Amino acid sequence: FLKKDGEINVDEVYRVIRYTSDGERCVVQGPVSKVVYDPRSNRSEPSHDGAERTFEAERANVVTSRGTPVVCTGLQKATHLNGKIGDRREFDEDTGRYTIHFED
């Protein structure tokens, strides 16, 4: 998910392709949103036509959910985990990092 104006937008799901700028930015890919006005309900709603876009976002604005698959890279104290696939668990407020679960 991405944050917009400080709120998490749960209507659109994006994929993180890679990190750039030493992990401060993410290249993400996801739906192209359009706002469509519905005169019957007198409301504007987001609409997706299946098109996707790829762009960079600040890492702080990218929110992953528990269970998101990850590949560890750039680890210096646990180099044996570099390249390993795991899944994201809880966020550790003290360290500012996510806990990753590995199958093996």
Side-chain angles (χ1 to χ4, degrees):
F1 304 108
L2 292 178
K3 289 183 185 177
K4 183 176 182 180
D5 300 325
E7 298 292 322
I8 298 172
N9 181 358
V10 296
D11 295 326
E12 297 176 342
V13 177
Y14 292 86
R15 290 178 298 285
V16 175
I17 306 298
R18 66 180 173 279
Y19 291 91
T20 63
S21 304
D22 291 328
E24 293 303 312
R25 296 185 63 78
C26 300
V27 176
V28 295
Q29 186 176 52
V32 174
S33 294
K34 293 184 246 174
V35 176
V36 177
Y37 175 72
D38 181 358
R40 293 172 294 186
S41 66
N42 197 28
R43 292 178 29 180
S44 294
E45 298 286 336
S47 172
H48 309 291
D49 63 3
E52 292 195 336
R53 63 185 171 141
T54 301
F55 60 96
E56 279 195 22
E58 294 290 328
R59 182 179 54 87
N61 290 330
V62 176
V63 181
T64 59
S65 58
R66 182 180 171 91
T68 299
V70 298
V71 177
C72 290
T73 61
L75 299 176
Q76 296 176 353
K77 292 185 179 178
T79 56
H80 64 286
L81 295 175
N82 285 327
K84 297 278 185 179
I85 298 172
D87 63 270
R88 193 218 36 92
R89 297 293 168 102
E90 57 277 339
F91 183 73
D92 185 333
E93 294 284 341
D94 295 333
T95 64
R97 298 177 181 206
Y98 290 103
T99 301
I100 306 299
H101 175 259
F102 298 98
E103 285 297 320
D104 48 5

